[in-house]
Amino acid sequence: MTAYDSKMATDIRGPRPVESHPSRAGDEGIAASFRLEQLDTRYDPDTRTLWTDMRARTRPSFNPDLLRDFVRWQEAIVTAADGGDMPIRYVVLGSGFPGVFSLGGDLNLFAQAIRDRDHAMLVRYGRTCVQILHRNMRGLERPIITIGLVEGDALGGGFEALLSFHVVIAERGTSFGLPETLFGLFPGMGAHCFLSRRLGAARAERMIMSGRTYSAEELYDMGLVHNLAEPGEGRRMVADYIRQNHRRHSAHCAIYEASRAVNPLPLEELEAVVDLWADAALRLTEGDLKRMERLVAAQTRLREKADA
């Protein structure tokens, strides 16, 4: 992946890789903690921004190893921020997969667990997801603002993940959706909880039940996307947003903290929905699983096309 120089405001090729510019003796240890198999990280010291791109090794979905990388990534952010070696004010998450932010959960894994009647595995997977999203929503309990960068489609758990960010910047023409009802399930990794707080319970249920795809423009009108960029301009808009708002960083962090106090979302609520999701998954029929696997096959073809 192209290395960025540090002139983020004027050169949107991006910030430099974390490991490329240690400024203190202890920084190599910090850099090593960000070397992850399925996450590319780059740090811009001028804006104190950690840029990260997902690069799932198979389909662009949340496989278990990618989830483990996210746990390590969050731990590394906290260590870097607390140690003062790499002060972080903004965390940006995007995708290195062309045309896709994320297609969500590991459907192949789900189908196998359902056939094996492995309720515990489904719960473990789901709880890992919502624990990551809950920490993201809370800025890792640090004065950190999280930004979701959407340059491609976000479906299922990919859409749910974006709902945990303080700011979502999406390129026009990208699509969002919760297709789980099409194969007899429902989105169990945060959609109910996040959307009910943003839109109200009735509108949230209508969106979830519809199974339809929404455009970035529609979500902007709903307030779920905060800024719209032209195609290919998402990263520049994120950089501009950070540059324009860096003086308001403390105020923005306080506003997000106040919003959480007014309308709290406890982790226990997210985990309770995961348990309901796992129960529902075990009620799926063989026909439902075949529909799920057809979607997996379509996702695999997308990966093969990207690699061609």
Side-chain angles (χ1 to χ4, degrees):
M1 187 168 289
T2 303
Y4 281 51
D5 67 28
S6 64
K7 297 178 181 178
M8 195 60 198
T10 58
D11 187 351
I12 198 57
R13 289 175 301 167
R16 293 165 290 180
V18 167
E19 63 267 26
S20 69
H21 58 95
S23 57
R24 304 183 190 181
D27 280 4
E28 179 57 28
I30 294 292
S33 66
F34 282 104
R35 295 191 190 116
L36 301 164
E37 182 185 0
Q38 298 185 63
L39 293 174
D40 283 327
T41 55
R42 301 168 302 283
Y43 178 66
D44 175 16
D46 295 338
T47 60
R48 300 182 180 182
T49 300
L50 183 72
W51 294 73
T52 303
D53 283 323
M54 295 177 283
R55 50 180 175 89
R57 62 169 179 261
T58 54
R59 300 181 305 279
S61 59
F62 297 127
N63 62 71
D65 288 340
L66 176 55
L67 295 183
R68 281 190 282 272
D69 274 359
F70 270 121
V71 171
R72 297 182 184 116
W73 175 72
Q74 290 185 328
E75 291 171 350
I77 292 170
V78 169
T79 299
D82 288 355
D85 296 316
M86 187 188 294
I88 296 173
R89 292 167 57 133
Y90 295 92
V91 170
V92 181
L93 180 67
S95 171
F97 192 94
V100 176
F101 175 79
S102 173
L103 300 178
D106 191 334
L107 300 183
N108 210 33
L109 182 71
F110 297 168
Q112 186 61 52
I114 292 165
R115 288 199 171 97
D116 293 343
R117 314 305 294 170
D118 194 345
H119 184 271
M121 194 287 292
L122 293 169
V123 169
R124 282 197 305 274
Y125 178 97
R127 288 194 172 200
T128 299
C129 288
V130 299
Q131 288 162 11
I132 293 167
L133 299 193
H134 191 259
R135 293 189 82 193
N136 191 63
M137 175 195 76
R138 298 186 62 83
L140 301 172
E141 309 295 344
R142 303 303 188 273
I144 291 173
I145 292 174
T146 59
I147 302 175
L149 167 60
V150 188
E151 300 169 288
D153 296 344
L155 301 177
F159 184 11
E160 291 181 284
L162 286 167
L163 294 171
S164 72
F165 285 82
H166 297 128
V167 178
V168 176
I169 294 176
E171 293 185 0
R172 294 182 184 273
T174 53
S175 297
F176 303 74
L178 299 167
E180 288 84 350
T181 56
L182 302 179
F183 47 81
L185 204 51
F186 73 92
M189 316 309 175
H192 269 91
C193 305
F194 288 118
L195 289 174
S196 293
R197 283 165 171 77
R198 301 277 190 88
L199 304 178
R203 290 183 71 195
E205 287 179 2
R206 188 159 58 244
M207 175 177 276
I208 291 167
M209 289 179 179
S210 73
R212 62 161 289 209
T213 299
Y214 293 82
S215 68
E217 290 83 355
E218 287 178 290
L219 293 196
Y220 176 79
D221 290 339
M222 294 181 193
L224 299 178
V225 165
H226 302 86
N227 292 84
L228 290 171
E230 294 303 317
E233 293 294 319
R235 291 176 188 258
R236 184 176 297 280
M237 178 168 278
V238 171
D240 288 345
Y241 177 90
I242 292 170
R243 188 183 70 253
Q244 292 164 7
N245 289 285
H246 74 99
R247 296 183 188 278
R248 305 182 185 94
H249 176 266
S250 295
H252 287 184
C253 286
I255 290 168
Y256 295 131
E257 187 174 3
S259 295
R260 293 194 296 270
V262 169
N263 204 356
L265 174 51
L267 177 60
E268 292 76 14
E269 180 181 327
L270 289 161
E271 292 180 335
V273 174
V274 166
D275 293 348
L276 293 172
W277 170 83
D279 293 343
L282 292 187
R283 295 195 293 270
L284 293 182
T285 67
E286 186 61 28
D288 293 326
L289 293 179
K290 288 185 184 304
R291 283 188 286 274
M292 185 185 293
E293 288 169 338
R294 283 197 291 272
L295 186 54
V296 170
Q299 293 177 359
T300 299
R301 289 193 296 272
L302 190 65
R303 169 83 266 178
E304 292 169 350
K305 181 179 179 181
D307 290 340

